[in-house]
Amino acid sequence: MAAYGSALVFSIPIREVTNKRKNIMSQVKSKPAHEIRLGNIKATIWKNEVDGFTRFNINLVRSYLSDSTWKTSDSYGRDDLPRVIKCADLAYEWIFQQSSTAATDQESAHSEAA
């Protein structure tokens, strides 16, 4: 900290500013690519770009009410399984559709460039 006239000037090392920026950026959460909900079962689909390829991952959770608070679990009972299976199937179909759409778009762009 230095004083110039009546103004105070603070100097912050560049490394500290960079680290603060990285921390702020890591706190920004990405949004899921898609969500599918069947009753109390939810499939969340995440899109990841890795080495120029698009990958999709899913999380399956069961919502339940405990002491007036909604919570989630990745444990499923016998009666949850049909909805888990259907959510996983719908997630697979959605991901497959995205892959097909991306391939069609890429082929169209390639043929237009030729």
Side-chain angles (χ1 to χ4, degrees):
M1 178 172 69
Y4 294 101
S6 62
L8 291 176
V9 177
F10 293 90
S11 75
I12 301 172
I14 292 174
R15 185 175 64 203
E16 184 177 333
V17 171
T18 303
N19 288 340
K20 285 182 181 181
R21 183 174 179 186
K22 285 180 184 177
N23 289 339
I24 290 169
M25 294 304 289
S26 68
Q27 292 173 1
V28 175
K29 296 197 177 206
S30 61
K31 292 184 178 184
H34 191 64
E35 289 183 346
I36 299 165
R37 183 180 291 273
L38 294 175
N40 65 333
I41 305 297
K42 180 172 77 169
T44 305
I45 303 172
W46 300 94
K47 181 178 180 180
N48 298 306
E49 299 288 337
V50 179
D51 297 330
F53 295 99
T54 301
R55 306 275 187 229
F56 292 97
N57 296 308
I58 72 165
N59 291 36
L60 288 164
V61 295
R62 175 180 56 88
S63 299
Y64 65 97
L65 194 60
S66 175
D67 298 326
S68 302
T69 303
W70 283 100
K71 297 183 178 185
T72 59
S73 173
D74 59 359
S75 175
Y76 309 97
R78 179 197 66 198
D79 295 338
D80 298 320
L81 293 179
R83 286 187 306 279
V84 169
I85 292 166
K86 187 62 178 175
C87 268
D89 185 49
L90 291 171
Y92 174 80
E93 287 179 19
W94 188 88
I95 292 168
F96 187 79
Q97 180 64 38
Q98 301 310 301
S99 301
S100 297
T101 303
T104 303
D105 291 346
Q106 193 174 37
E107 287 175 11
S108 295
H110 182 68
S111 64
E112 288 174 4

mmCIF file of all heavy atoms in Angstrom, residues 91-114:
data_model
loop_
_atom_site.group_PDB
_atom_site.id
_atom_site.type_symbol
_atom_site.label_atom_id
_atom_site.label_comp_id
_atom_site.label_asym_id
_atom_site.label_seq_id
_atom_site.Cartn_x
_atom_site.Cartn_y
_atom_site.Cartn_z
ATOM 1 N N ALA A 91 -32.475 -41.265 -21.604
ATOM 2 C CA ALA A 91 -31.193 -40.555 -21.656
ATOM 3 C C ALA A 91 -30.344 -41.083 -22.802
ATOM 4 O O ALA A 91 -29.736 -40.314 -23.557
ATOM 5 C CB ALA A 91 -30.451 -40.698 -20.327
ATOM 6 N N TYR A 92 -30.322 -42.403 -22.953
ATOM 7 C CA TYR A 92 -29.580 -43.011 -24.055
ATOM 8 C C TYR A 92 -30.110 -42.524 -25.393
ATOM 9 O O TYR A 92 -29.335 -42.154 -26.285
ATOM 10 C CB TYR A 92 -29.662 -44.538 -23.975
ATOM 11 C CG TYR A 92 -29.045 -45.212 -25.171
ATOM 12 C CD1 TYR A 92 -27.668 -45.365 -25.267
ATOM 13 C CD2 TYR A 92 -29.841 -45.663 -26.218
ATOM 14 C CE1 TYR A 92 -27.101 -45.963 -26.381
ATOM 15 C CE2 TYR A 92 -29.279 -46.260 -27.333
ATOM 16 C CZ TYR A 92 -27.908 -46.405 -27.407
ATOM 17 O OH TYR A 92 -27.355 -46.984 -28.513
ATOM 18 N N GLU A 93 -31.425 -42.507 -25.550
ATOM 19 C CA GLU A 93 -32.030 -42.043 -26.801
ATOM 20 C C GLU A 93 -31.674 -40.583 -27.076
ATOM 21 O O GLU A 93 -31.360 -40.215 -28.210
ATOM 22 C CB GLU A 93 -33.547 -42.211 -26.756
ATOM 23 C CG GLU A 93 -34.004 -43.646 -26.863
ATOM 24 C CD GLU A 93 -35.520 -43.786 -26.794
ATOM 25 O OE1 GLU A 93 -36.237 -42.780 -27.029
ATOM 26 O OE2 GLU A 93 -35.982 -44.898 -26.515
ATOM 27 N N TRP A 94 -31.716 -39.742 -26.042
ATOM 28 C CA TRP A 94 -31.402 -38.320 -26.218
ATOM 29 C C TRP A 94 -29.946 -38.156 -26.644
ATOM 30 O O TRP A 94 -29.638 -37.400 -27.567
ATOM 31 C CB TRP A 94 -31.685 -37.537 -24.933
ATOM 32 C CG TRP A 94 -31.550 -36.068 -25.128
ATOM 33 C CD1 TRP A 94 -32.509 -35.199 -25.538
ATOM 34 C CD2 TRP A 94 -30.351 -35.282 -24.938
ATOM 35 N NE1 TRP A 94 -31.997 -33.922 -25.609
ATOM 36 C CE2 TRP A 94 -30.674 -33.948 -25.253
ATOM 37 C CE3 TRP A 94 -29.059 -35.585 -24.531
ATOM 38 C CZ2 TRP A 94 -29.744 -32.910 -25.164
ATOM 39 C CZ3 TRP A 94 -28.128 -34.556 -24.460
ATOM 40 C CH2 TRP A 94 -28.489 -33.246 -24.771
ATOM 41 N N ILE A 95 -29.043 -38.874 -25.970
ATOM 42 C CA ILE A 95 -27.613 -38.787 -26.315
ATOM 43 C C ILE A 95 -27.384 -39.294 -27.738
ATOM 44 O O ILE A 95 -26.655 -38.677 -28.513
ATOM 45 C CB ILE A 95 -26.760 -39.576 -25.298
ATOM 46 C CG1 ILE A 95 -26.800 -38.882 -23.930
ATOM 47 C CG2 ILE A 95 -25.320 -39.714 -25.784
ATOM 48 C CD1 ILE A 95 -26.244 -39.727 -22.798
ATOM 49 N N PHE A 96 -28.012 -40.396 -28.092
ATOM 50 C CA PHE A 96 -27.875 -40.942 -29.442
ATOM 51 C C PHE A 96 -28.364 -39.933 -30.476
ATOM 52 O O PHE A 96 -27.735 -39.727 -31.516
ATOM 53 C CB PHE A 96 -28.641 -42.262 -29.569
ATOM 54 C CG PHE A 96 -28.398 -42.958 -30.867
ATOM 55 C CD1 PHE A 96 -27.246 -43.696 -31.070
ATOM 56 C CD2 PHE A 96 -29.323 -42.861 -31.897
ATOM 57 C CE1 PHE A 96 -27.019 -44.338 -32.278
ATOM 58 C CE2 PHE A 96 -29.102 -43.499 -33.111
ATOM 59 C CZ PHE A 96 -27.948 -44.232 -33.303
ATOM 60 N N GLN A 97 -29.488 -39.254 -30.194
ATOM 61 C CA GLN A 97 -30.030 -38.240 -31.103
ATOM 62 C C GLN A 97 -29.050 -37.078 -31.262
ATOM 63 O O GLN A 97 -28.861 -36.574 -32.365
ATOM 64 C CB GLN A 97 -31.383 -37.732 -30.589
ATOM 65 C CG GLN A 97 -32.004 -36.682 -31.476
ATOM 66 C CD GLN A 97 -32.351 -37.205 -32.864
ATOM 67 O OE1 GLN A 97 -32.792 -38.332 -33.013
ATOM 68 N NE2 GLN A 97 -32.157 -36.394 -33.883
ATOM 69 N N GLN A 98 -28.416 -36.666 -30.163
ATOM 70 C CA GLN A 98 -27.446 -35.570 -30.239
ATOM 71 C C GLN A 98 -26.254 -35.972 -31.095
ATOM 72 O O GLN A 98 -25.760 -35.188 -31.892
ATOM 73 C CB GLN A 98 -26.955 -35.173 -28.839
ATOM 74 C CG GLN A 98 -28.041 -34.715 -27.896
ATOM 75 C CD GLN A 98 -28.941 -33.663 -28.510
ATOM 76 O OE1 GLN A 98 -28.481 -32.599 -28.909
ATOM 77 N NE2 GLN A 98 -30.222 -33.963 -28.596
ATOM 78 N N SER A 99 -25.808 -37.205 -30.947
ATOM 79 C CA SER A 99 -24.680 -37.700 -31.734
ATOM 80 C C SER A 99 -25.044 -37.766 -33.211
ATOM 81 O O SER A 99 -24.249 -37.401 -34.068
ATOM 82 C CB SER A 99 -24.256 -39.088 -31.247
ATOM 83 O OG SER A 99 -23.887 -39.024 -29.893
ATOM 84 N N SER A 100 -26.251 -38.212 -33.509
ATOM 85 C CA SER A 100 -26.707 -38.287 -34.896
ATOM 86 C C SER A 100 -26.841 -36.897 -35.501
ATOM 87 O O SER A 100 -26.445 -36.665 -36.639
ATOM 88 C CB SER A 100 -28.053 -39.004 -34.974
ATOM 89 O OG SER A 100 -27.933 -40.321 -34.541
ATOM 90 N N THR A 101 -27.396 -35.960 -34.739
ATOM 91 C CA THR A 101 -27.558 -34.580 -35.209
ATOM 92 C C THR A 101 -26.203 -33.935 -35.464
ATOM 93 O O THR A 101 -25.997 -33.279 -36.474
ATOM 94 C CB THR A 101 -28.360 -33.751 -34.186
ATOM 95 O OG1 THR A 101 -29.608 -34.386 -33.966
ATOM 96 C CG2 THR A 101 -28.572 -32.333 -34.662
ATOM 97 N N ALA A 102 -25.244 -34.163 -34.559
ATOM 98 C CA ALA A 102 -23.905 -33.583 -34.715
ATOM 99 C C ALA A 102 -23.224 -34.151 -35.953
ATOM 100 O O ALA A 102 -22.587 -33.429 -36.710
ATOM 101 C CB ALA A 102 -23.067 -33.840 -33.470
ATOM 102 N N ALA A 103 -23.377 -35.451 -36.199
ATOM 103 C CA ALA A 103 -22.766 -36.075 -37.383
ATOM 104 C C ALA A 103 -23.393 -35.535 -38.658
ATOM 105 O O ALA A 103 -22.696 -35.244 -39.630
ATOM 106 C CB ALA A 103 -22.919 -37.590 -37.310
ATOM 107 N N THR A 104 -24.724 -35.360 -38.663
ATOM 108 C CA THR A 104 -25.417 -34.809 -39.831
ATOM 109 C C THR A 104 -24.981 -33.375 -40.084
ATOM 110 O O THR A 104 -24.707 -32.992 -41.225
ATOM 111 C CB THR A 104 -26.945 -34.865 -39.627
ATOM 112 O OG1 THR A 104 -27.317 -36.216 -39.381
ATOM 113 C CG2 THR A 104 -27.675 -34.342 -40.834
ATOM 114 N N ASP A 105 -24.879 -32.575 -39.010
ATOM 115 C CA ASP A 105 -24.433 -31.181 -39.159
ATOM 116 C C ASP A 105 -23.003 -31.121 -39.691
ATOM 117 O O ASP A 105 -22.682 -30.289 -40.544
ATOM 118 C CB ASP A 105 -24.512 -30.453 -37.811
ATOM 119 C CG ASP A 105 -25.950 -30.237 -37.375
ATOM 120 O OD1 ASP A 105 -26.854 -30.395 -38.209
ATOM 121 O OD2 ASP A 105 -26.159 -29.898 -36.191
ATOM 122 N N GLN A 106 -22.155 -32.036 -39.207
ATOM 123 C CA GLN A 106 -20.765 -32.039 -39.645
ATOM 124 C C GLN A 106 -20.668 -32.449 -41.121
ATOM 125 O O GLN A 106 -19.905 -31.866 -41.876
ATOM 126 C CB GLN A 106 -19.963 -33.009 -38.768
ATOM 127 C CG GLN A 106 -18.474 -32.862 -38.923
ATOM 128 C CD GLN A 106 -17.736 -33.739 -37.918
ATOM 129 O OE1 GLN A 106 -18.173 -34.851 -37.617
ATOM 130 N NE2 GLN A 106 -16.639 -33.233 -37.417
ATOM 131 N N GLU A 107 -21.473 -33.425 -41.529
ATOM 132 C CA GLU A 107 -21.488 -33.835 -42.943
ATOM 133 C C GLU A 107 -21.985 -32.723 -43.831
ATOM 134 O O GLU A 107 -21.455 -32.486 -44.914
ATOM 135 C CB GLU A 107 -22.363 -35.079 -43.118
ATOM 136 C CG GLU A 107 -21.763 -36.347 -42.577
ATOM 137 C CD GLU A 107 -22.710 -37.519 -42.657
ATOM 138 O OE1 GLU A 107 -23.776 -37.401 -43.318
ATOM 139 O OE2 GLU A 107 -22.399 -38.565 -42.061
ATOM 140 N N SER A 108 -23.012 -31.978 -43.388
ATOM 141 C CA SER A 108 -23.555 -30.865 -44.172
ATOM 142 C C SER A 108 -22.500 -29.768 -44.331
ATOM 143 O O SER A 108 -22.319 -29.225 -45.422
ATOM 144 C CB SER A 108 -24.787 -30.282 -43.495
ATOM 145 O OG SER A 108 -25.823 -31.232 -43.469
ATOM 146 N N ALA A 109 -21.798 -29.458 -43.259
ATOM 147 C CA ALA A 109 -20.780 -28.426 -43.316
ATOM 148 C C ALA A 109 -19.633 -28.848 -44.233
ATOM 149 O O ALA A 109 -19.079 -28.044 -44.985
ATOM 150 C CB ALA A 109 -20.256 -28.122 -41.919
ATOM 151 N N HIS A 110 -19.280 -30.135 -44.204
ATOM 152 C CA HIS A 110 -18.198 -30.642 -45.036
ATOM 153 C C HIS A 110 -18.598 -30.601 -46.517
ATOM 154 O O HIS A 110 -17.795 -30.219 -47.364
ATOM 155 C CB HIS A 110 -17.838 -32.069 -44.614
ATOM 156 C CG HIS A 110 -16.706 -32.637 -45.395
ATOM 157 N ND1 HIS A 110 -15.421 -32.165 -45.296
ATOM 158 C CD2 HIS A 110 -16.657 -33.654 -46.306
ATOM 159 C CE1 HIS A 110 -14.637 -32.847 -46.105
ATOM 160 N NE2 HIS A 110 -15.367 -33.769 -46.726
ATOM 161 N N SER A 111 -19.831 -30.969 -46.821
ATOM 162 C CA SER A 111 -20.263 -30.982 -48.229
ATOM 163 C C SER A 111 -20.424 -29.555 -48.776
ATOM 164 O O SER A 111 -20.215 -29.317 -49.944
ATOM 165 C CB SER A 111 -21.561 -31.770 -48.400
ATOM 166 O OG SER A 111 -22.618 -31.157 -47.702
ATOM 167 N N GLU A 112 -20.814 -28.611 -47.917
ATOM 168 C CA GLU A 112 -20.941 -27.218 -48.346
ATOM 169 C C GLU A 112 -19.584 -26.603 -48.625
ATOM 170 O O GLU A 112 -19.423 -25.771 -49.514
ATOM 171 C CB GLU A 112 -21.666 -26.387 -47.283
ATOM 172 C CG GLU A 112 -23.132 -26.701 -47.188
ATOM 173 C CD GLU A 112 -23.807 -25.971 -46.035
ATOM 174 O OE1 GLU A 112 -23.127 -25.164 -45.365
ATOM 175 O OE2 GLU A 112 -24.999 -26.200 -45.812
ATOM 176 N N ALA A 113 -18.549 -27.022 -47.887
ATOM 177 C CA ALA A 113 -17.211 -26.483 -48.066
ATOM 178 C C ALA A 113 -16.559 -27.031 -49.340
ATOM 179 O O ALA A 113 -15.671 -26.418 -49.893
ATOM 180 C CB ALA A 113 -16.346 -26.822 -46.853
ATOM 181 N N ALA A 114 -17.013 -28.197 -49.795
ATOM 182 C CA ALA A 114 -16.388 -28.835 -50.975
ATOM 183 C C ALA A 114 -16.825 -28.225 -52.281
ATOM 184 O O ALA A 114 -17.515 -27.397 -52.521
ATOM 185 C CB ALA A 114 -16.715 -30.311 -50.999
#
